[in-house]
């Protein structure tokens, strides 16, 4: 009897352990995948969000999105252009190597490399110097009030590992440069990468030696990219997934009406906009002057888009139309700037005629089809609307895997951009990345080559202005210039909608980051 009893107990305990392990696995999906495991090789916020599970920055965003200590426990300014950081002790990388000042210096220098795609994330930083094993000085071009905001997006890498794997130089998805860090991630964060298979899935396992107090109950995260909305929703409702983010807008009512599931949604910080080429020629009109260089043409392109129709038909009335380049919660936002051009086909045609294009012109519109909410449908609608005023629009949509590198190589006449002002969550992000020329660390995402001397001056003044009221006024002024000159065409502020099964709790954030170190599974 005893052996049989022992066997029964063994089976029972095994079943319970299996249930517990399953209960602590969170399975989720998105239409997009990680572009790389190298945190400095890209500027794509979804990948940044995913890699935050593996890497820690010096300072991070709390559950309330406030800045708080992470790998740095304290900081102070020792000179107007120098910040000193005291580092957290007894922290280890996933491979067991100790975290020290050497890792911070190596990471900052790696990001400052001209070959780093994310170089613009620290456009005002000039260097990092080791004071001792647990003290680092970071220098800037001058007084800079947003350094902590920027550092929240700088993940610290292991110098010893980078040296051993020839990865001290960064990769870059735009140029196609890869290193060992492109496919292997060694951080100090709450989870380790167990496996990474592009386009198939990534598995994370808990880091039992994480330095911070654990607020989740997960042992394992299984992520699988599923591009098809219908397939992703079916996987959720059939029990194959616990979370989908984002959830397709057209399916929200069906999901929320299904027993055992719920939808959570709120406005995102992300604004969708169109980047216009300001180069001498368009790809669609080689050998001819670029019509988009004319302000009246750009105004006509804005007036020719029926944003209300896009909001109602494509976005299911869940987006918010906008006339500016930052969302209302972001410093630099102004109601006076947030006035969309009205939909007016007659005015658009008149402006084109005044600009010398009574019969319109040719342009190419390029968009991703798996990055933003209903991105392809939005672009299909815009191309059709432009055709009505004589703008012959050749539309091409493609996966973000090829789209963003092409955008970085300046291959587009008009292209879709989504901007959530990350990592600083400040309007200065728009100025320094989208509106300034590509020099001196600025203009990293200004793929259209927009240039305005007034914005160049305001950006550099705002970078060193410590009076917050004056600094914000500079941001507002620069964004007004951007609107008046139609530097970009704002489309809308997109919604954030997730769908989860009952028993899963995941806080939602307006920056669209999926922070599973706050998740619990029952």
């Amino acid at each position: 009897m005893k052996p049989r009893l022992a066997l029964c107990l063994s089976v029972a305990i095994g079943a319970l352990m299996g249930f517990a392990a399953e209960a602590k696995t969170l399975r989720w999906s998105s239409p997009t995948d990680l572009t790389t495991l190298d945190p400095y090789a890209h500027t794509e916020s979804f990948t940044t969000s995913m890699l935050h599970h593996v890497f820690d920055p010096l300072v991070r965003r709390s559950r309330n999105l406030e800045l708080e200590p992470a790998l740095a426990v304290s900081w102070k300014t020792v000179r107007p252009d120098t910040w000193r950081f005291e580092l957290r002790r007894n922290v280890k990388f996933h491979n067991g190597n100790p975290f020290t000042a050497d890792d911070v210096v190596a990471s900052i220098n790696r990001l400052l490399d001209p070959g780093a795609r994310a170089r613009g994330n620290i456009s005002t930083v000039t260097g990092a110097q080791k004071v001792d094993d647990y003290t680092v000085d970071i220098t800037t071009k001058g007084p800079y009030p947003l350094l902590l905001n920027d550092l929240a997006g700088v993940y610290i890498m292991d110098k010893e590992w980078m040296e051993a794997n020839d990865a001290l130089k960064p990769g870059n998805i735009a140029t196609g440069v890869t290193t060992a860090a492109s496919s292997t991630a060694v951080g100090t964060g709450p989870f380790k990468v167990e496996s990474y298979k592009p386009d198939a899935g990534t598995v994370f396992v808990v880091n039992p030696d994480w330095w911070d107090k654990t607020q989740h109950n997960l042992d394992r995260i299984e992520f699988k990219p599923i591009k098809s909305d219908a397939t992703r929703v079916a996987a959720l409702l059939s029990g194959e997934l616990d979370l989908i983010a984002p959830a397709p807008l057209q399916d929200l009512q069906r999901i929320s009406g299904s027993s055992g599931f719920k939808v959570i949604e709120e406005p995102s910080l992300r604004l969708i906009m169109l980047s216009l080429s300001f180069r001498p020629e368009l790809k669609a009109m080689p050998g001819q002057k670029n019509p988009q260089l004319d302000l009246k043409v750009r105004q006509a392109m804005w007036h020719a888009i029926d944003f209300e129709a896009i909001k109602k038909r494509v976005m299911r009335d869940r987006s918010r139309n906008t006339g500016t380049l930052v969302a209302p919660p972001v410093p630099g936002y102004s109601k006076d700037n947030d006035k969309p051009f009205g939909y007016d086909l007659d005015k658009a045609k008149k402006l084109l005629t005044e600009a010398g294009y009574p019969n319109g012109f040719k342009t190419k519109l390029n968009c991703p089809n798996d990055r933003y909410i209903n991105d392809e449908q939005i672009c299909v609608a815009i191309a059709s609307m432009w055709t009505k005023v004589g703008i012959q629009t050749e539309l091409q949509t493609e996966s973000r895997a090829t789209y963003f590198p092409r955008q970085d190589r300046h291959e587009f006449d008009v292209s879709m951009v989504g901007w959530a002002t990350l990592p600083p969550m400040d309007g200065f992000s728009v100025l320094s990345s989208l509106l300034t020329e590509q020099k001196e660390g600025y203009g990293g995402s200004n793929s259209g080559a927009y240039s305005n001397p007034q914005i160049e001056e305001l950006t550099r003044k705002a970078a060193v202005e410590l009076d917050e009221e004056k600094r914000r006024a500079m941001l507002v002024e620069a964004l007004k210039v951007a609107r008046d000159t139609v530097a970009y065409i704002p489309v809308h502020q997109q919604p954030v909608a997730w769908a989860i099964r009952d028993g899963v709790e995941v806080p939602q954030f307006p920056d669209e980051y999926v922070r599973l170190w706050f998740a619990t599974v029952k």
Side-chain angles (χ1 to χ4, degrees), residues 201-222:
T202 303
V203 176
F204 304 85
V205 293
V206 70
N207 174 16
D209 300 317
W210 191 36
W211 55 269
D212 200 9
K213 181 180 179 180
T214 301
Q215 298 185 52
H216 66 86
N217 70 342
L218 306 180
D219 291 328
R220 186 179 181 89
I221 299 169
E222 296 177 356

Side-chain angles (χ1 to χ4, degrees), residues 287-305:
Q288 302 179 58
K289 181 182 178 181
N290 177 2
Q292 294 171 185
L293 292 173
D294 193 307
L295 175 59
K296 289 185 177 180
V297 169
R298 302 196 299 277
Q299 291 172 334
M301 295 173 79
W302 195 338
H303 279 296
I305 301 175

Side-chain angles (χ1 to χ4, degrees), residues 276 278 290-304 341 344 346-357 361 386 389 391 484-486 489:
L276 308 172
F278 287 81
N290 177 2
Q292 294 171 185
L293 292 173
D294 193 307
L295 175 59
K296 289 185 177 180
V297 169
R298 302 196 299 277
Q299 291 172 334
M301 295 173 79
W302 195 338
H303 279 296
F341 283 21
D344 192 329
D346 291 337
K347 189 171 185 177
K349 292 176 182 177
K350 180 180 178 183
L351 286 165
L352 287 173
T353 299
E354 292 175 356
Y357 300 95
F361 63 94
W386 277 346
V389 296
I391 302 175
D484 292 346
T485 59
V486 192
I489 298 178

Side-chain angles (χ1 to χ4, degrees), residues 26 63 215-218 242-243 262 264 498 500-508 515-522:
L26 190 145
R63 195 170 183 134
Q215 298 185 52
H216 66 86
N217 70 342
L218 306 180
D242 305 305
L243 162 71
K262 62 183 177 181
I264 53 177
W498 298 353
I500 57 179
R501 71 165 177 83
D502 289 350
V504 176
E505 295 296 332
V506 183
Q508 191 179 58
R515 294 175 170 89
L516 298 179
W517 56 90
F518 294 126
T520 57
V521 175
K522 296 179 181 178

Side-chain angles (χ1 to χ4, degrees), residues 391-403:
I391 302 175
Q392 302 170 51
T393 307
E394 180 184 335
L395 174 64
Q396 180 181 9
T397 64
E398 59 190 302
S399 170
R400 58 195 274 278
T402 55
Y403 173 80

Side-chain angles (χ1 to χ4, degrees), residues 454-466:
Q454 190 176 353
I455 290 181
E456 295 288 333
E457 181 182 0
L458 285 167
T459 299
R460 284 156 178 81
K461 285 183 176 179
V464 298
E465 180 56 66
L466 299 181

